[in-house]
Amino acid sequence: MTLVRTDSDLLRSVAPARRPSPQSSRGLLIDWDPATYRQTLERFAADRPLTLPHSEAETGSPFPFRLTVLDADVPSPIMLHPRWEQALAGFVREQARGVPLGAGNRNYKDSNPKCEVAVALTPLRVLAGERTMEELQAIASGLELPWLRSYLSFHHETAIHSVLRMTREETAAAVRETADAVDRIRHVDGPAAEVLAAVRRLQQHFPHDRGILLAVCMKLIQLDPGHAAVIPPGCMHSYLSGQAVLVMGTSDNALQAGLTQEYVDLCELQHLTSGGQPQPSPLPVVDVGDGQQRIPLWSNDLDLRRVVVGSGQKPVSVGPFSVVLAATEPADITVDGATADLEPEAKILYAGEPVTATITGPSQIFVASTL
């Protein structure tokens, strides 16, 4: 449990924040744990009544999202979060078949879609969606890839769908062709150069994986620190390199497609991608001054802000329910004399009346709130 400091020694692991004014706002600073937050708040409800929001089904969280730090030191698995209608149909189908929720071959843990927003902490490279036909033609020509040329000569389906449909022997042959091209070719530009760099990175960790072929066909997004992109449900994606804060829906539906040793359901992935994929897109991060940025999410009831704190302090609005994440260096958050330490990647929940907290850095802070 994070230690909460105060001048009165009354606050230890869970702390009410007070002001000296008789009309002071009151709130709590506690470690953010969706499994226990409600019981913790209810312990203080008699003295400091709080209206607890309805928890999300099956998660116990008052927030319809998860907030986490990703470090793509090793590229993440290529995965796909199904769209709403796909998730509902898949969940009903597996329930009817009696597939246990915890089974290794279970694809749909719930009936919900899952949107994903990535905010770059360092230069970030993301593979997501699918390249245009013109880009694929440039790649096939620049890298002299027979398997990709074959697809382009008879493109009755998407390139990613054709990769998922390959037999084991066809996959192994296409991976060898791609490896030969990477060894042979040195100077290309445009999409072919992007693919060359991506394949070389992936070969270090997954030299024989089908995911290398998928990566050839996937769009490459490059984000500078502070920039953001949205990965919509139904969009295949992987984080190639860099660090980011991810804001995701609470669904546990994630079908892995490559760069993994986990279960891959090729038939279900073919079904989900047969009609193409929605594409990723950059998000317009809004500068609201004083080192703060607002990042739009998929609901107007949610608010996400990025705060760059230097060696001094920054005021930040929190409440009625806010999760505060220290993304990089340690930081402190102070509300009316109560101070909580934030280690890198740690999260603190503020619950109470809307107030202005003080953040002490240096760090990058993310504040996710329900409105």
Side-chain angles (χ1 to χ4, degrees):
M1 178 68 72
T2 297
L3 180 64
V4 181
R5 305 192 308 273
T6 178
D7 295 336
S8 65
D9 291 332
L10 294 176
L11 306 178
R12 289 188 287 273
S13 61
V14 179
R18 293 186 175 89
R19 292 185 180 182
S21 167
Q23 296 184 353
S24 63
S25 60
R26 294 179 175 184
L28 302 174
L29 289 170
I30 63 174
D31 271 348
W32 171 234
D33 182 353
T36 62
Y37 95 96
R38 184 170 292 269
Q39 296 92 316
T40 303
L41 295 184
E42 286 173 349
R43 287 167 50 196
F44 292 85
D47 298 329
R48 302 161 183 87
L50 294 168
T51 302
L52 304 187
H54 295 296
S55 61
E56 286 292 298
E58 302 176 3
T59 69
S61 169
F63 300 99
F65 57 79
R66 292 172 180 146
L67 188 68
T68 188
V69 176
L70 174 134
D71 187 347
D73 181 51
V74 174
S76 64
I78 297 174
M79 62 179 57
L80 182 147
H81 307 305
R83 298 192 294 268
W84 182 86
E85 70 279 5
Q86 295 172 334
L88 178 60
F91 181 76
V92 170
R93 186 169 60 249
E94 291 189 332
Q95 287 291 91
R97 288 169 46 202
V99 182
L101 280 174
N105 64 338
R106 177 90 190 207
N107 292 315
Y108 300 93
K109 310 298 192 298
D110 52 65
S111 59
N112 301 314
K114 184 173 184 175
C115 193
E116 192 163 310
V117 170
V119 186
L121 297 172
T122 66
L124 182 70
R125 291 191 297 163
V126 187
L127 294 168
E130 191 161 357
R131 290 187 180 272
T132 65
M133 194 62 65
E134 292 73 21
E135 289 174 319
L136 292 173
Q137 289 169 343
I139 293 166
S141 174
L143 300 186
E144 303 173 12
L145 292 176
W147 68 267
L148 189 53
R149 282 177 170 170
S150 175
Y151 157 72
L152 291 169
S153 67
F154 187 59
H155 48 81
H156 63 290
E157 58 186 342
T158 69
I160 281 178
H161 192 263
S162 71
V163 170
L164 295 172
R165 229 179 18 84
M166 286 180 177
T167 65
R168 181 174 298 181
E169 293 74 18
E170 290 171 334
T171 299
V175 169
R176 285 195 301 270
E177 292 171 4
T178 305
D180 290 344
V182 169
D183 289 341
R184 184 178 67 254
I185 296 173
R186 289 289 177 265
H187 303 293
V188 288
D189 55 17
E194 293 178 349
V195 168
L196 204 63
V199 170
R200 283 175 177 156
R201 168 121 173 98
L202 295 177
Q203 283 179 327
Q204 300 173 28
H205 305 281
F206 314 96
H208 309 296
D209 197 284
R210 184 189 302 266
I212 288 177
L213 306 181
L214 294 172
V216 170
C217 305
M218 295 170 70
K219 188 185 297 291
L220 178 67
I221 302 173
Q222 302 188 64
L223 297 176
D224 293 326
H227 291 193
V230 57
I231 312 296
C235 178
M236 199 173 283
H237 60 283
S238 169
Y239 295 92
L240 190 61
S241 64
Q243 294 179 311
V245 165
L246 301 185
V247 190
M248 303 173 286
T250 56
S251 170
D252 289 321
N253 293 329
L255 282 78
Q256 300 199 28
L259 312 182
T260 180
Q261 298 297 319
E262 301 297 324
Y263 173 69
V264 175
D265 190 334
L266 290 173
C267 291
E268 189 66 17
L269 287 167
Q270 290 174 47
H271 171 68
L272 296 180
T273 59
S274 60
Q277 301 179 49
Q279 295 298 310
S281 61
L283 274 177
V285 175
V286 180
D287 191 342
V288 294
D290 199 24
Q292 296 192 42
Q293 296 173 315
R294 179 167 282 112
I295 299 153
L297 295 179
W298 50 89
S299 170
N300 291 332
D301 296 330
L302 308 176
D303 179 70
L304 177 66
R305 279 162 293 148
R306 172 178 176 260
V307 186
V308 179
V309 185
S311 57
Q313 297 179 330
K314 285 284 178 69
V316 178
S317 298
V318 294
F321 286 86
S322 298
V323 173
V324 183
L325 164 70
T328 52
E329 300 298 321
D332 290 343
I333 176 172
T334 300
V335 179
D336 297 342
T339 299
D341 300 324
L342 276 167
E343 294 299 320
E345 301 186 29
K347 286 169 275 193
I348 286 288
L349 170 68
Y350 171 80
E353 297 182 18
V355 296
T356 298
T358 300
I359 305 291
T360 304
S363 186
Q364 286 189 62
I365 301 295
F366 287 78
V367 182
S369 303
T370 56
L371 302 178

